Amino acid sequence: MAELAALNERSETTMKISELARLAGSNAETIRYYEREGLLPKASRSESNYRIYSVAHLERLTFIRHCRNLDMTLGEIRTLLRFKASPEENCGEVNRLLDDHIEHVVRRIGELQELERQLRDLRGCCPDGRQAAACGILEGLSQPLLEKASGNHVPGVHESFASNTGKS
Amino acid sequence: MAELAALNERSETTMKISELARLAGSNAETIRYYEREGLLPKASRSESNYRIYSVAHLERLTFIRHCRNLDMTLGEIRTLLRFKASPEENCGEVNRLLDDHIEHVVRRIGELQELERQLRDLRGCCPDGRQAAACGILEGLSQPLLEKASGNHVPGVHESFASNTGKS
DNA sequence: TTAAAACCTTTGAGTCGCTACAAGGTCAAG
DNA sequence: CTTGACCTTGTAGCGACTCAAAGGTTTTAA
Ligand SMILES: [Zn+2]
Ligand SMILES: [Zn+2]
Ligand SMILES: [Zn+2]
Ligand SMILES: [Zn+2]
């Protein structure tokens, strides 16, 4: 009964913020943030000042979350949204943006593989637990500075532990 | 002459902040930030209130920058510095920290490889420049939400473009 | 000698993409 | 009528810096 009612509501064309969040695998605060940032248009409001969303909003938010899951920046996403909004234009720039972003990812993979190599080298300097004074790892880290050639934007190793789960 | 004088100065045991920065491949603002964060001890001061550093500072900063180049967090680095400071302790925890961090990197590599696969799939949806309305990429991005299983801390694709060059 | 350039200082704000909180308003169920 | 789930705004915080303002000091060179 309650389920049926909920189902009916779900098949309606409007919803409030937390249902939109659930359907888009996002969360309410992120949606308000996107609105502030101009990625989502201002929602219409109910009498009690609640944001009211339509399927169009859901589609746009889904697009954005999809892009974020591919580690694009909000800037990159803004560009893509502009093309979505002007369907008569040539999409060559979309392709270019995607090629660039693929390169961002590929480059970052290369950097991290080099990092892994260096870290395994370092780890090999102290196979057993000994006194810290004799630890090859601590010694190795005191040594020279290896170059870090990073010109990238794909996020870090320590980054998204508690975030990006979709729900809040 | 100026070079010789500079060389003499360089072989002295103390220096000001920008020389320390240069020698450690860092920059002055980062050094002040590390001091605020307690990663570097407070420097002694000259009569005119300038920070004065010794080789010990240079070594500690070199250690920190080396760790950062390996994408460790400042938290991870703090732990390592504690072990450096107590040489009688067993270094097993150092090894464990490094193993964990290697896993952070390996996991991030895996995530990015999956990302690359998805992005290349998407790119294949629009080999040529056509009208945005018919662009397979924009269409693909409007589709379902792929899971993003990130539990990591190694930074992103778009991150370090203008940073981490060492100089300011 | 003096003026400009190159340092140094502190403080505070900005970056990115959220996330979390506080303090309050609204609404349906029991 | 109260509880609790939802909604609102505004603000602050995360990590690891980076930059700018507004001023003090030191070095260089005309
Ligand atoms: Zn990118
Ligand atoms: Zn060891
Ligand atoms: Zn780590
Ligand atoms: Zn296209």
Side-chain angles (χ1 to χ4, degrees):
Chain A
M1 339 288 186
E3 278 168 4
L4 186 61
L7 205 64
N8 283 340
E9 277 177 358
R10 196 164 308 165
S11 69
E12 292 193 8
T13 52
T14 68
M15 56 196 131
K16 287 181 281 186
I17 198 165
S18 65
E19 189 171 10
L20 176 62
R22 198 178 48 73
L23 293 176
S26 183
N27 82 44
E29 276 149 2
T30 304
I31 292 170
R32 284 189 278 255
Y33 170 72
Y34 287 162
E35 183 182 307
R36 277 200 301 283
E37 292 296 302
L39 284 160
L40 285 175
K42 304 233 166 196
S44 55
R45 299 297 182 117
S46 75
E47 287 183 14
S48 52
N49 199 33
Y50 290 4
R51 287 174 180 82
I52 302 295
Y53 295 100
S54 69
V55 183
H57 289 99
L58 175 58
E59 280 167 9
R60 196 171 167 103
L61 180 55
T62 300
F63 184 94
I64 295 171
R65 291 311 305 168
H66 195 153
C67 290
R68 285 292 299 135
N69 284 345
L70 295 171
D71 262 347
M72 295 182 197
T73 64
L74 297 188
E76 287 170 334
I77 297 170
R78 251 180 269 269
T79 301
L80 292 181
L81 286 169
R82 252 181 281 128
F83 276 92
K84 273 201 78 153
S86 52
E88 75 289 348
E89 260 183 90
N90 185 285
C91 72
E93 200 183 322
V94 171
N95 300 12
R96 227 170 305 124
L97 191 153
L98 213 67
D99 286 338
D100 286 352
H101 184 64
I102 289 171
E103 237 233 270
H104 298 160
V105 174
V106 167
R107 191 183 328 169
R108 185 66 179 148
I109 289 172
E111 289 169 10
L112 290 181
Q113 282 169 342
E114 169 64 16
L115 223 55
E116 184 189 351
R117 210 188 47 68
Q118 290 179 12
L119 284 165
R120 291 202 190 280
D121 270 10
L122 193 61
R123 181 61 180 85
C125 295
C126 183
D128 49 343
R130 42 178 104 158
Q131 285 204 333
C135 177
I137 292 174
L138 292 177
E139 203 206 320
L141 286 169
S142 306
Q143 278 332 101
L145 245 356
L146 303 149
E147 287 305 313
K148 178 178 194 178
S150 189
N152 222 327
H153 83 123
V154 174
V157 208
H158 297 106
E159 206 130 84
S160 29
F161 254 123
S163 70
N164 257 114
T165 52
K167 271 97 216 200
S168 73
Chain B
M1 335 290 192
E3 279 166 3
L4 187 61
L7 206 63
N8 283 341
E9 277 178 359
R10 195 165 307 164
S11 68
E12 290 192 9
T13 52
T14 67
M15 56 196 132
K16 286 181 282 188
I17 198 165
S18 66
E19 189 172 9
L20 176 62
R22 199 177 47 74
L23 292 176
S26 182
N27 82 43
E29 277 147 5
T30 303
I31 292 170
R32 286 189 278 255
Y33 170 73
Y34 287 162
E35 182 183 307
R36 279 198 302 283
E37 292 296 301
L39 285 160
L40 286 175
K42 305 233 166 197
S44 55
R45 298 297 183 115
S46 74
E47 288 182 12
S48 52
N49 198 33
Y50 289 6
R51 288 174 181 82
I52 302 296
Y53 295 99
S54 68
V55 182
H57 289 99
L58 175 57
E59 281 167 8
R60 194 171 168 104
L61 180 56
T62 300
F63 183 93
I64 295 170
R65 290 312 304 170
H66 195 153
C67 291
R68 284 292 298 136
N69 283 345
L70 296 171
D71 262 346
M72 294 182 197
T73 64
L74 297 188
E76 287 169 334
I77 296 170
R78 252 182 268 270
T79 301
L80 292 181
L81 285 170
R82 254 182 280 127
F83 276 92
K84 272 199 78 146
S86 52
E88 75 289 348
E89 262 184 89
N90 185 286
C91 72
E93 201 183 322
V94 171
N95 300 11
R96 226 169 306 125
L97 191 152
L98 213 68
D99 286 338
D100 286 352
H101 183 65
I102 288 171
E103 237 233 272
H104 299 159
V105 173
V106 167
R107 193 183 325 169
R108 185 67 178 146
I109 289 171
E111 289 169 9
L112 291 182
Q113 282 169 341
E114 169 64 16
L115 222 55
E116 185 190 349
R117 211 188 47 68
Q118 290 178 13
L119 284 165
R120 290 202 190 281
D121 269 11
L122 193 61
R123 182 60 179 85
C125 295
C126 183
D128 49 343
R130 42 178 104 157
Q131 284 204 333
C135 177
I137 292 175
L138 293 176
E139 201 205 320
L141 285 169
S142 305
Q143 279 332 101
L145 244 356
L146 304 148
E147 287 305 314
K148 177 179 191 178
S150 188
N152 223 324
H153 83 120
V154 175
V157 206
H158 296 105
E159 206 131 83
S160 28
F161 253 122
S163 70
N164 258 114
T165 52
K167 273 97 217 202
S168 73

